[in-house]
Each structure stands twice: as C-alpha cells, then as structure tokens.
Amino acid sequence: MTPLRDKFDALLRSTPLRLSIALVALFALVSLTSLGASFLIIRDSLDQTMRIDLQQDLAGFQAAPSANAVAQLITAEAAMTNPERRILSFTTADGRHFGNGFISPAGNGFRVMSLPEEEDLSEADYLTLSASLHDGRLTVSSSRAQIEDLGELFINILVLSLLPTTAIALAAGLVISRRSGRRIEAIGQTLEQLTQGNLAARVPKIAGRSDDLSMIAGQIDRMAGAQQSSVDALKQVSADIAHDLKTPIQRVSVLLSKAREMPALRADLVDVLDKAGQETDGIVATFQSLLQIAQIEGGSPKNRFKPVDLRALAATFAEVYEPAADERGHKLIADLPKEGTYVVSGEKGLLGQVLANLMENALRHTPAGSDITLSVGRSGEWIEVSVCDTGPGIPAEERRNVLRRLYRLEQSRTTPGNGLGLSLVAAIVEMHEGKLALEDNNPGLCVKIRFQSAETR
Amino acid sequence: MRIMVIEDDATTGDYIAQGLREEGHTVDLIANGRDGLIQATTTDYEVLVIDRMLPELDGVSIVRTLRAARNLTPVIFLTSLGGVDDRIDGLKAGADDYLIKPFAFGELSARVAALSRRPQLKEQESLLKAGDLTMDLMRRKVVRNDLEIDLLPREFALLEHLLRRKGRVQTRTMLLEAVWDISFDPQTNVVETHISRLRAKVDKPFEIELIKTVRGSGYRIEE
C-alpha cells in the first residue's frame, strides 16, 4: 500500500473526522427534508392559485352572450397575451378556431398536458381548463413553467445553504483530527516504545491542555512509571539473589577444589569430588543462563547495539566447532556466502551465544554420522541464519515446548544440558527483534532465525 | 609480584589469596571497598583483583577513582553479575578483565599472569622459538628439528599466541578471545579439539611434547 493511501486510511479512522462527516450528513438530511416540505407546500399553493385564476378566466368568457361574442373576446384578449404564459383557445361548433394557440384536450375540467411538438412555444407543461360554451369548446391554459422552475430554485437554495455548512464542518473535522491525530500518534509511539521494553518512555506533554487525551496520556505515564519501578525492584532483587546465592556456590566450588588438592586422597574419593565439582559447574551454568534470560527479557537497553556481520560471525563459529564435530563423527557444512555484507544491528557476544547454543544442541542431540549445516543468507530485508541437522529432529507438537525454560524432550533426558539453550536463543532473538522458527529438515531439525538487515532498518 | 585482593566474602577471599601466595605472589586481602581504595592509592601493586559488589564502596567506583587519579594498575573484576551490560559497564569503568563467579582458580591465575606481564610485542622480532621449534613470522613458516610443519592459518595463529606467551598458562576462554575474538563459555570441548589437531602436527611426530596441558586451567608452552 502506498504511504499516501495509508495516510488517507489513517485519516478516515480518526474519530473527529468521522463525527464531522456524520454531522454533515445529518445537516444535509435535515435541510433536504425541510426544504422539500416547503417546496411541496409552495408548489401546491401555486397550483391552487393557478386553478383559481383559470376558473375566473373561464367564468369571464362564459358571461359572453353568444359564440360570436366569445370569439371576439378571445381574439381581443389573445392579442395581448403571451402564449408562452397563457394560451386561450376557442373552437366554434362549425370548426372555426380563435385564440393565440391551439390546445384541445378531450373532455372538460383540469388537465396537465404538453403542447404538441410543432407548437414550438414552451417546453413547460400547461395546466388546461376546458368547458363547452355555445356549442363550441373553450380552453384556457396557463404555463406551469413557474412551478417547474420552482424545483430548480429549491435545489439551488439547498446547494447554497449546504455548501458552506459542509465545508466548514469538514474543515473543522480535518483540523481537529489532525491535531488530535498528532497527539494520538505520540501516545501510540510511547506505547510502542513501552512494549519494546523502553520503560523510560513518556508521552510528550502539551502545556496548558487538560482534555481527555491529556488525561489518558497522564494515566499512561503513571502506568509506565509503576511498571518501571516494579521492574527496577525486580532487577534489584535478581541482582541481590545472584550475589547472595553465587557467593555460597563459589564457596562450595572453592571447598571442593581444596579437598581435591589434598595429599594422598583415595581414588574413589577423587572420583566423588570430581563429580561434585561437575555438578557445581552445572548449577552455575543453569543459574547463569536463567539470570541471563531474565536480564535479556527484562528489556536490556538496545542503544549498545553495534553492526555485526553475521557471515563473518558464522564463519568463525563454523571454524571453532569444525574439529569438535569431526571428532564426534559429524560432518559440519558451512554454507556461507562467498562475499557481501550480512550486517545486523546487535550485540556480538549474544549473537555468538545463539550460534554456539545451536551448534552445541546439534552436536549433542544427533547421532554420529549426522550432517550439520550452518548457513547464512538473505531474503529481502531479512538476513537468515540457520542450523540444520539430519538427526532425529523434534516432533511438530513438541516444537513450541522446547522453547520453554528447563523443558527437555523425553528422548534427551540422558544427554547433558539444562534445557535452557533454546530459551536463551529465543530471548536473544526476541531482544534483536528477530524471528525464530523450528522446522522439519526431513529428517532432522532446522532452526531458522531471521534478523532485519542493518542497512534497511 | 605484589597483588591486592578486595573481596568481602572471607571464604572466597582466603582461597584466592592463598592460591596466589602458593604461586609465589605477595597478596594483601582487604574486605571492604573504602579501605581497598586507600590501600590501592598508597601502595604500589602490580595487579588489583576487585569484587564488584563491596561494602562501603563498590568496585566500579574504586576503579573510576583510580583511573581519574591516573593510577593505571591493571584491574580484574570479580562479579556475580554476568550480563552483557554488566561486562561492558565493568570494562568501561576501566577494568582490564572481568571474571564471572564462580570461576576456577586456574582461570584467575592465568588472567592475573596475563595482565601483570602484558606481552611486549616487539615488532622487529620475527622469530619465535621454543625448544627445537622455530616460528618465522615473516615467512609464515614453522620448522621443528629441521622438518617444516605445514599449518593452517588459524593453527598458526594459535601456536603463535602460545609461543608469544611462553611459560604462561592460557585458558580455553582466553584462547577463544585471543585467537577467534569471541567471548563465550563453550559447553563442549571445542578448544581441546583445536589443540589436539595442533599437537598432531607440532608434537606427535617428535619426542618431546611442547604444548602442555595444565590440569583445570588450560595450555602452556614450556620455556
């Protein structure tokens, strides 16, 4: 969709403009009704007047004593009468015709009719009144042009009265909607920032305003403030827990090291101490990952992001893991572009952690002989990194679960790991506004991650 | 070497101090931040090991104050906070290295050694030697016992790094940082496999093993 179209749609969505359009429609309806009613009343009264005039005319002629007298009267009066307004017509019993036009409707009484084509006088209809008189037929007609013009006049009045109203209402609607639109947009942007984790975002203040929008803005600010202080408190608590728990863990690992270094230890005791040491390392790793996930999800500020070339980073990790993969009988394939920049905005250490976790998952959960393919590519404004293996894969219904913290598949209960690797990957991807997808590699698992290219951001 | 350790937890502090003393260093152990800062400004130390969270004055403030006073003694931060931000904050404050608790003593000891005797990279030095092995940096050649050893570029870099720090332990994370420029804690034996490939070329065909494994710490080439 074009930006202009977007703007137009946004404008149509604004409440003030909608209201003003509705008001204009209402005005138009009311004016139409009242003008229409006036039109009908005036038209009827004009018609009535016309009929009375015609009856009086007819009565005047009926007073004449003979057909000849009527003919003379008609001729005299017709000479002074414009046939476009009034037509007098008298046909005697022997077929002679007098008057300024010839209209002869069948039957007596009122009729509305138009002139025959050849009587090129007026396009308007005529109201005719006919009567038999001295064996002849007398018809007096009056042009209805006046009544017909009345319609046009009323339409003009309608347009003239509606135009300024409409223009003023629409203009006011536009101005108000643009002004409130800017403020609504500011509120929207603030909410967007808050959603993205910038809890310090506040709605910009407009001095001297205290309407409903300012009230909502104030409420949003208060909500954000409350949120921020609770997140800060949570962070503080996490840091305190980290400190309070890590110190004893450090002590345990110190004591274990000391015990391990004592002279003349029994061999089985050495084994026990080594195992205890490994378990402590496991606790530390789990703890560290949980803290890291919490910290990343807690909305770590993104202003420290720097350009990171994913092609170079992937090449480094492929190289680092290649001998380890080889030793386990895996084939590590680095499907990387030969050249070009694949730069995203991010934290290199964390993006590296993503690659490391995915590679280690693939190494850990696939049997010897499986292929592991690390690839980097571009599709439009997205840069895609994927780690695909030909191992047992993850059943479709389990793919969502493995992103949960500490979740482990039944089939991998016995392999080392704490079930936090993919949760950490998901948190880091989310922090970088990327997308994570687990797909079937037929056979095996394909983990695909997309980040927005830094050039198009 | 004279080292000061500022650590409020007695068990950890004693362990670090004792370990460093066993390696032949003179160690002062201080338990609170303010005393530590006073001690650091009045005594000439070669390395400071500072916990980040301390009573009275925290680690970041100590380092900032020292750096503002143009005291450039190398500092290693010890911390319970392991987030990326914390690491960057710590290094920004002027610390030279950063260790997340709990850590193996070998890691600390190797990093203290690396800081105290920062390698003097002599540009004109083009030959590195260890025993009967010679690395010619200009011609990118490694010769041992008159036999030329063919190394891949990254194997060459790994060997060069160990040769330049002859006699000092390099931990796995230090090697990842120095040779590949990535900092993470691998859960698999990635560094070991690289070392074993390097050994297959450099050590296996010969009688004497040059690259030694230091248990619980890392690797070292003997002087």
Side-chain angles (χ1 to χ4, degrees):
Chain A
M1 209 181 269
T2 61
L4 201 68
R5 182 75 204 277
D6 275 350
K7 240 181 159 169
F8 183 67
D9 283 350
L11 200 58
L12 277 190
R13 275 199 300 273
S14 88
T15 315
L17 192 67
R18 282 186 172 191
L19 275 178
S20 60
I21 288 174
L23 267 180
V24 166
L26 191 67
F27 275 143
L29 196 70
V30 169
S31 305
L32 201 67
T33 318
S34 65
L35 280 175
S38 325
F39 167 72
L40 289 177
I41 292 167
I42 292 174
R43 194 190 63 181
D44 282 357
S45 102
L46 272 178
D47 192 63
Q48 205 54 42
T49 315
M50 215 179 267
R51 279 165 199 257
I52 292 167
D53 283 353
L54 286 179
Q55 274 169 343
Q56 280 174 353
D57 269 5
L58 194 71
F61 291 117
Q62 278 170 334
S66 66
N68 250 347
V70 173
Q72 276 175 17
L73 268 176
I74 291 282
T75 311
E77 203 157 318
M80 299 183 302
T81 305
N82 181 358
E84 283 188 25
R85 289 192 54 234
R86 204 155 153 254
I87 295 175
L88 305 168
S89 164
F90 181 59
T91 312
T92 56
D94 50 6
R96 284 177 299 148
H97 176 253
F98 302 90
N100 58 355
F102 180 72
I103 287 185
S104 181
N108 294 342
F110 288 106
R111 288 280 152 79
V112 173
M113 58 187 296
S114 48
L115 284 186
E117 295 277 323
E118 60 270 22
E119 293 274 351
D120 190 24
L121 281 174
S122 166
E123 282 175 17
D125 290 343
Y126 283 80
L127 179 68
T128 66
L129 177 61
S130 308
S132 303
L133 188 59
H134 304 297
D135 298 329
R137 263 180 80 74
L138 174 65
T139 302
V140 287
S141 322
S142 186
S143 167
R144 295 186 79 243
Q146 214 185 345
I147 293 178
E148 281 167 23
D149 287 350
L150 196 67
E152 219 167 286
L153 182 71
F154 266 89
I155 286 173
N156 283 342
I157 291 173
L158 185 70
V159 169
L160 279 179
S161 68
L162 266 187
L163 259 185
T165 320
T166 313
I168 290 170
L170 277 182
L174 270 176
V175 168
I176 295 170
S177 75
R178 280 197 57 182
R179 212 165 49 189
S180 65
R182 275 198 292 273
R183 296 172 63 201
I184 288 169
E185 201 176 322
I187 291 175
Q189 278 169 358
T190 308
L191 285 173
E192 183 67 22
Q193 282 183 34
L194 289 172
T195 313
Q196 281 179 3
N198 176 13
L199 292 180
R202 296 290 181 271
V203 183
K205 292 276 173 304
I206 296 174
R209 285 278 183 86
S210 59
D211 54 8
D212 48 355
L213 281 181
S214 312
M215 218 167 72
I216 289 173
Q219 283 165 344
I220 288 173
D221 285 358
R222 276 197 298 285
M223 184 201 74
Q227 186 85 0
Q228 192 175 23
S229 50
S230 74
V231 166
D232 285 350
L234 196 65
K235 276 185 185 163
Q236 190 54 46
V237 168
S238 310
D240 290 350
I241 291 175
H243 191 252
D244 291 355
L245 276 184
K246 273 194 163 185
T247 309
I249 297 173
Q250 169 79 25
R251 279 186 209 144
V252 170
S253 95
V254 162
L255 294 172
L256 284 172
S257 304
K258 270 187 178 169
R260 179 71 177 72
E261 281 152 22
M262 282 178 183
L265 283 181
R266 267 165 43 202
D268 51 351
L269 194 54
V270 170
D271 269 2
V272 170
L273 289 175
D274 280 348
K275 276 192 187 125
Q278 282 164 17
E279 289 299 327
T280 319
D281 290 350
I283 295 172
V284 171
T286 304
F287 203 58
Q288 183 63 31
S289 301
L290 278 173
L291 272 178
Q292 210 179 356
I293 292 171
Q295 200 174 27
I296 289 166
E297 285 180 347
S300 220
K302 286 155 194 156
N303 50 15
R304 283 182 176 138
F305 279 9
K306 290 197 176 83
V308 178
D309 185 355
L310 285 182
R311 184 178 68 100
L313 194 65
T316 303
F317 274 85
E319 190 189 289
V320 166
Y321 277 93
E322 192 272 322
D326 189 52
E327 197 181 63
R328 285 153 201 247
H330 290 85
K331 198 166 135 204
L332 178 61
I333 303 154
D335 179 17
L336 305 175
K338 287 275 176 295
E339 53 192 16
T341 53
Y342 291 78
V343 179
V344 301
S345 174
E347 215 292 316
K348 190 182 157 199
L350 290 178
L351 292 173
Q353 186 79 58
V354 166
L355 291 179
N357 282 15
L358 294 181
M359 299 291 281
E360 298 202 346
N361 269 351
L363 285 178
R364 223 178 262 157
H365 300 296
T366 58
S370 310
D371 289 353
I372 298 169
T373 310
L374 170 64
S375 49
V376 171
R378 182 192 286 276
S379 89
E381 58 185 44
W382 295 92
I383 290 176
E384 190 176 272
V385 182
S386 64
V387 175
C388 301
D389 62 58
T390 57
I394 297 178
E397 66 274 12
E398 289 274 34
R399 286 189 201 134
R400 284 197 73 78
N401 292 336
V402 294
L403 297 179
R404 272 166 38 197
R405 270 167 231 187
L406 302 167
Y407 188 86
R408 307 202 62 199
L409 286 179
E410 206 50 53
Q411 65 202 46
S412 50
R413 292 266 167 216
T414 50
T415 40
N418 50 26
L420 284 169
L422 274 178
S423 317
L424 185 58
V425 167
I428 295 173
V429 170
E430 172 76 15
M431 176 197 190
H432 286 79
E433 289 166 32
K435 289 180 171 48
L436 170 69
L438 305 185
E439 291 174 10
D440 205 332
N441 198 29
N442 293 315
L445 176 70
C446 231
V447 183
K448 291 186 172 172
I449 301 172
R450 308 175 120 203
F451 297 107
Q452 204 148 32
S453 160
E455 299 107 73
T456 58
R457 270 175 94 96
Chain B
M1 189 162 39
R2 189 147 196 203
I3 300 170
M4 176 167 65
V5 177
I6 314 178
E7 165 64 78
D8 59 322
D9 181 68
T11 314
T12 312
D14 285 342
Y15 174 65
I16 296 171
Q18 196 189 330
L20 290 172
R21 279 183 195 126
E22 277 167 14
E23 291 190 342
H25 302 295
T26 307
V27 182
D28 293 335
L29 176 61
I30 312 279
N32 87 63
R34 214 174 27 169
D35 294 352
L37 178 62
I38 295 165
Q39 183 82 6
T41 47
T42 52
T43 315
D44 198 20
Y45 290 103
E46 277 180 78
V47 174
L48 306 175
V49 178
I50 305 177
D51 189 45
R52 232 189 114 163
M53 282 196 192
L54 287 167
E56 299 191 29
L57 192 65
D58 69 284
V60 173
S61 307
I62 296 175
V63 177
R64 283 221 184 94
T65 314
L66 287 176
R67 296 298 183 248
R70 308 214 168 258
N71 182 328
L72 297 178
T73 312
V75 169
I76 299 180
F77 260 148
L78 305 180
T79 185
S80 300
L81 308 170
V84 177
D85 293 351
D86 302 312
R87 188 183 161 83
I88 296 172
D89 281 344
L91 296 181
K92 222 186 220 170
D96 300 80
D97 210 340
Y98 200 92
L99 261 187
I100 296 166
K101 279 184 182 177
F103 47 82
F105 180 75
E107 191 72 41
L108 176 68
S109 140
R111 285 173 189 265
V112 165
L115 278 185
S116 57
R117 287 175 288 168
R118 284 225 148 149
Q120 303 294 309
L121 295 172
K122 294 173 200 144
E123 288 300 323
Q124 56 273 66
E125 190 181 29
S126 66
L127 287 182
L128 300 174
K129 285 186 183 172
D132 52 358
L133 181 139
T134 307
M135 174 179 266
D136 187 334
L137 295 173
M138 301 294 281
R139 292 158 61 211
R140 311 296 293 173
K141 262 188 182 167
V142 179
V143 176
R144 185 166 182 193
N145 206 2
D146 293 333
L147 281 170
E148 190 173 331
I149 300 171
D150 203 14
L151 292 180
L152 294 172
R154 204 68 84 160
E155 291 167 345
F156 192 94
L158 188 55
L159 184 60
E160 181 187 342
H161 183 85
L162 288 168
L163 280 172
R164 280 186 188 276
R165 289 151 189 84
K166 215 160 48 173
R168 272 175 281 156
V169 179
Q170 297 298 302
T171 66
R172 293 164 184 84
T173 47
M174 284 164 89
L175 289 173
L176 281 173
E177 280 165 24
V179 179
W180 285 277
D181 188 26
I182 47 181
S183 80
F184 77 108
D185 192 11
Q187 303 295 312
T188 44
N189 56 344
V190 282
V191 178
E192 288 86 331
T193 53
H194 280 280
I195 291 285
S196 84
R197 279 197 180 179
L198 183 61
R199 273 181 175 151
K201 292 184 179 177
V202 173
D203 276 342
K204 217 174 173 193
F206 307 95
E207 268 179 33
I208 301 163
E209 186 186 57
L210 277 179
I211 305 169
K212 295 270 199 303
T213 304
V214 183
R215 211 192 74 84
S217 300
Y219 304 95
R220 175 175 59 198
I221 288 183
E222 297 290 353
E223 298 215 48

